[in-house]
């Protein structure tokens, strides 16, 4: 059994925040299995990619939040896929969805962003899903970093499906300014592609330098996270990180 990450906590100086990044393939698979995986990870924040974007997307987002025992904060169709859910522990100070410039013939991409408060700690959050085109992806990475800096808080987390590997140009751009959670404090499984597919780490959680990464990785083997649910839930594996965020 995989050792658990530190539990969520808050004291006068810091807050431990559990952040989950998960590409859910528009909830086209087994939603009950998806919700079980999320609940077993006990996240404070979920950065979703490929949230439903079309017919009755708000109803689908509300269903996922309800079944995962979380609340909807922002994103979905209004961010072209990225979405943010939180536990009741988080207080959302503000949220904004951002559409990114799009190359002709490629999918519209966007960012779901929020500033959350946990006790006296304030944390900026950006959920992203970057382009499959290398040049567009790199430009989006630069805009993503600008948006994270512009949240107006000293500590932030960026999480999502990068469509790039750690040796890629865009992944390297982000890792050059932010902490790559797995590289800093590896925990669990590294690769985030579907079980049985070629091993790749294309989903990640990054944090600004002032945040302490206590552990980060795919929660395979965590109590309550079973392989059959991971296979049934979606075509990506989730990334879970525990972060110690200093008080403001």
């Amino acid at each position: 059994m995989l050792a658990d990450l530190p539990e969520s906590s808050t004291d006068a100086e810091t807050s431990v925040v559990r952040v989950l990044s998960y590409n859910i393939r528009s909830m086209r698979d087994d939603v009950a299995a998806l919700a079980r995986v999320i609940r077993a990870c006990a996240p404070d924040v979920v950065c979703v990619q490929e949230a439903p974007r079309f017919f009755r997307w708000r109803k689908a987002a509300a269903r996922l939040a309800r079944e995962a025992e979380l609340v909807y904060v922002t994103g979905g169709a209004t961010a072209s896929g990225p979405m943010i859910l939180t536990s009741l522990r988080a207080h959302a100070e503000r949220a904004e969805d951002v559409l990114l410039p799009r190359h002709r013939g490629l999918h519209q991409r966007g960012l779901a962003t929020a500033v959350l408060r946990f006790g006296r700690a304030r944390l900026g959050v950006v959920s992203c899903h970057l382009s499959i085109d290398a040049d567009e992806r790199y430009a989006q990475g630069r805009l993503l970093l600008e948006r994270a800096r512009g949240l107006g808080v000293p500590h932030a987390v960026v999480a999502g499906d990068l469509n790039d590997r750690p040796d890629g140009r865009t992944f390297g751009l982000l890792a050059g300014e932010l902490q790559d959670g797995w590289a800093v404090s590896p925990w669990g499984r590294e690769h985030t592609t579907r079980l049985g597919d070629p091993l790749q780490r294309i989903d990640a959680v990054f944090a600004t330098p002032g945040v302490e990464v206590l552990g980060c990785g795919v929660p395979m083997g965590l109590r309550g996270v079973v392989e059959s649910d991971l296979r049934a839930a979606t075509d990506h594996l989730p990334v879970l990180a525990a972060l110690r965020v200093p008080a403001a």
Side-chain angles (χ1 to χ4, degrees), residues 14-240:
T14 64
S15 285
V16 174
V17 179
R18 291 166 67 108
V19 177
L20 185 71
S21 181
Y22 211 173
N23 182 318
I24 65 171
R25 194 159 68 160
S26 298
M27 295 171 62
R28 297 200 303 266
D29 301 290
D30 187 333
V31 177
L34 176 66
R36 285 194 296 269
V37 172
I38 294 173
R39 289 197 306 269
C41 292
D44 298 298
V45 182
V46 183
C47 291
V48 172
Q49 301 85 49
E50 291 194 31
R53 294 181 294 141
F54 301 111
F55 183 64
R56 294 184 176 176
W57 69 269
R58 290 182 176 85
K59 183 175 181 180
R63 177 191 176 192
L64 179 61
R66 181 177 64 253
E67 295 194 13
E69 299 176 0
L70 300 167
V71 295
Y72 168 86
V73 174
T74 194
T78 49
S80 198
M83 183 169 72
I84 297 173
L85 306 176
T86 70
S87 70
L88 292 175
R89 181 170 174 250
H91 171 76
E93 293 188 355
R94 64 180 187 273
E96 182 180 7
D97 299 325
V98 180
L99 295 178
L100 297 171
R102 179 171 67 93
H103 289 185
R104 184 182 299 273
L106 296 176
H107 291 299
Q108 177 69 63
R109 305 281 178 171
L111 308 173
T113 76
V115 174
L116 307 175
R117 181 159 45 82
F118 299 87
R120 294 181 54 234
R122 299 172 74 220
L123 182 68
V125 178
V126 183
S127 178
C128 66
H129 187 185
L130 303 186
S131 177
I132 60 173
D133 178 82
D135 290 337
E136 184 180 58
R137 181 169 60 242
Y138 188 76
Q140 290 171 350
R142 294 173 66 90
L143 293 171
L144 171 60
L145 289 173
E146 289 179 13
R147 178 61 58 167
R149 293 187 210 106
L151 288 175
V153 290
H155 310 298
V157 60
V158 172
D161 178 353
L162 304 184
N163 275 316
D164 203 20
R165 297 184 296 273
D167 60 353
R169 187 165 63 131
T170 303
F171 202 117
L173 172 71
L174 300 181
E177 183 164 328
L178 305 171
Q179 300 180 82
D180 172 8
W182 167 263
V184 171
S185 185
W187 168 88
R189 186 180 191 266
E190 176 182 5
H191 301 107
T192 64
T193 42
R194 178 169 47 190
L195 295 167
D197 287 352
L199 297 177
Q200 299 184 80
R201 182 160 72 95
I202 59 175
D203 306 81
V205 175
F206 296 89
T208 49
V211 173
E212 181 183 1
V213 181
L214 303 175
C216 179
V218 174
M220 182 175 289
L222 183 67
R223 185 181 303 277
V225 177
V226 297
E227 184 173 322
S228 59
D229 280 348
L230 290 171
R231 290 183 180 277
T234 178
D235 63 344
H236 281 242
L237 296 177
V239 180
L240 178 63

